[in-house]
């Protein structure tokens, strides 16, 4: 299973996305007027599918569906060189928002698989946006008071801490968890180089290990907050949908 490489590729792709979109309110959960979460308006929860939308824009939509909602993009490109995991993909740029469409099911329609922004005009679950703090993120999503240290394969020292859950991307082959799987962690890998880190959230739809294919059936959703160490502030946000391998 090439899980680690896929996640690294997703994160690198997200860091390369820069763009813009008109201010959106979060639709699935209430957003206070000041754009922050509060105990009166928002109940902390584990990250799930409902947290992967921006207004009416949701992962899994086709390019035509998105255009009906947002109009024509500032730019649109079918990228056929330097392909991502699923080959050619469509890249659309709107004001303050970037969208990537992949052919996740090999030969079927391109579907919206990644949404990212680096501006504070786009609001996500609980009103989170670029400029929110780590505490703001932890206020929206469930977190453990005494988190366990995070390790990836081959690491002798912790590179972060779990927010909740007990899995990470390098443990699936070893443990082969099935059913719904949810976990989140603060990943400080690379922090010493650029004073940044990531808060990563994962939700796996019911998984089943396919012995014949030596891999999973099922899919997962991911939300990443790219954080600046100074001030623990969100600098960009990415949400994505992918197939479990």
């Amino acid at each position: 299973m090439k899980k680690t490489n896929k996640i690294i590729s997703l994160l690198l792709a997200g860091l390369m996305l820069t763009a813009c979109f008109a201010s959106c309110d979060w639709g699935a959960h209430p957003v206070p007027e000041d754009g922050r979460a509060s105990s009166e308006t928002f109940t902390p929860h584990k990250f799930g599918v409902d947290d992967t939308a921006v207004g009416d824009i949701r992962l899994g939509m086709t390019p035509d569906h998105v255009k009906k909602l947002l109009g024509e993009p500032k730019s649109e490109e079918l990228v056929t060189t330097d392909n991502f995991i699923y080959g050619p993909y469509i890249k659309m740029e709107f004001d303050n928002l970037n969208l990537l469409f992949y052919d996740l099911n090999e030969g079927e329609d391109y579907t919206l698989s990644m949404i990212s922004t680096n501006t504070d005009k786009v609001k996500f679950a609980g009103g989170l946006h670029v400029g929110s703090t780590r505490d703001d993120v932890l206020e929206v999503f469930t977190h453990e008071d005494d988190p366990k240290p995070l390790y990836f394969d081959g690491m002798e020292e912790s590179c972060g801490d779990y927010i909740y859950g007990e899995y990470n991307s390098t443990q699936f082959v070893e443990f082969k968890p099935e059913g719904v799987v949810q976990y989140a962690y603060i990943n400080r890998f690379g922090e010493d180089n650029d004073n940044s880190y990531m808060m990563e959230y994962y939700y796996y739809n019911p998984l089943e290990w396919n012995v014949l294919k030596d891999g999973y059936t099922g899919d997962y959703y991911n939300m990443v907050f790219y954080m600046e160490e100074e001030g623990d502030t969100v600098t960009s946000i990415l949400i994505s949908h992918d197939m479990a391998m």
Side-chain angles (χ1 to χ4, degrees):
M1 183 175 67
K2 300 179 180 179
K3 189 65 179 172
T4 303
N5 291 336
K6 287 181 63 180
I7 290 177
I8 292 173
S9 298
L10 279 169
L11 299 178
L12 290 175
L15 286 170
M16 295 171 61
L17 300 176
T18 57
C20 299
F21 179 37
S23 179
C24 292
D25 284 335
W26 172 248
H29 300 289
V31 179
E33 290 184 2
D34 64 0
R36 288 173 52 90
S38 71
S39 59
E40 291 77 22
T41 60
F42 199 94
T43 301
H45 62 284
K46 290 184 178 180
F47 168 76
V49 179
D50 284 345
D51 299 309
T52 61
V54 178
D56 293 330
I57 306 303
R58 296 183 175 274
L59 296 173
M61 288 182 170
T62 64
D64 287 343
H65 193 173
V66 170
K67 288 180 183 179
K68 288 180 181 179
L69 294 171
L70 298 182
E72 289 298 317
K74 290 174 60 177
S75 66
E76 179 178 353
E77 178 184 6
L78 175 61
V79 181
T80 58
T81 59
D82 190 24
N83 292 154
F84 190 52
I85 295 167
Y86 300 103
Y89 61 91
I90 296 172
K91 178 180 180 180
M92 289 186 188
E93 293 186 2
F94 292 87
D95 287 340
N96 297 321
L97 195 73
N98 270 350
L99 309 179
L100 297 184
F101 299 80
Y102 293 103
D103 180 8
L104 296 181
N105 295 308
E106 300 182 359
E108 297 186 9
D109 291 337
Y110 287 94
T111 56
L112 181 56
S113 303
M114 189 181 296
I115 302 173
S116 70
T117 187
N118 60 3
T119 78
D120 61 2
K121 293 180 172 61
V122 182
K123 293 180 181 178
F124 294 81
L128 293 173
H129 56 83
V130 170
S132 295
T133 65
R134 179 177 64 181
D135 287 344
D136 294 334
V137 178
L138 293 176
E139 187 177 352
V140 169
F141 294 113
T142 301
H143 64 277
E144 297 177 1
D145 293 330
D146 186 22
K148 299 180 290 294
L150 170 69
Y151 294 89
F152 289 115
D153 284 351
M155 287 188 173
E156 296 181 358
E157 296 183 0
S158 169
C159 63
D161 297 288
Y162 282 92
I163 299 171
Y164 60 78
E166 57 185 351
Y167 292 106
N168 65 57
S169 58
T170 65
Q171 294 177 320
F172 271 63
V173 172
E174 179 181 358
F175 294 104
K176 297 182 178 61
E178 296 191 352
V180 172
V181 178
Q182 293 171 275
Y183 60 86
Y185 47 70
I186 293 176
N187 184 354
R188 296 185 179 276
F189 184 70
E191 176 190 358
D192 292 341
N193 296 323
D194 57 12
N195 295 317
S196 63
Y197 62 95
M198 295 173 288
M199 300 179 73
E200 304 182 39
Y201 291 82
Y202 294 88
Y203 172 86
Y204 287 76
N205 278 317
L207 293 172
E208 182 178 349
W209 184 261
N210 188 317
V211 177
L212 295 178
K213 294 184 177 181
D214 193 31
Y216 279 109
T217 59
D219 57 349
Y220 74 95
Y221 294 83
N222 173 221
M223 188 169 193
V224 181
F225 298 91
Y226 297 93
M227 309 293 298
E228 182 66 34
E229 177 70 17
E230 184 176 357
D232 289 320
T233 303
V234 178
T235 59
S236 61
I237 300 174
L238 176 150
I239 55 176
S240 64
H241 173 227
D242 200 354
M243 306 303 294
M245 296 293 187

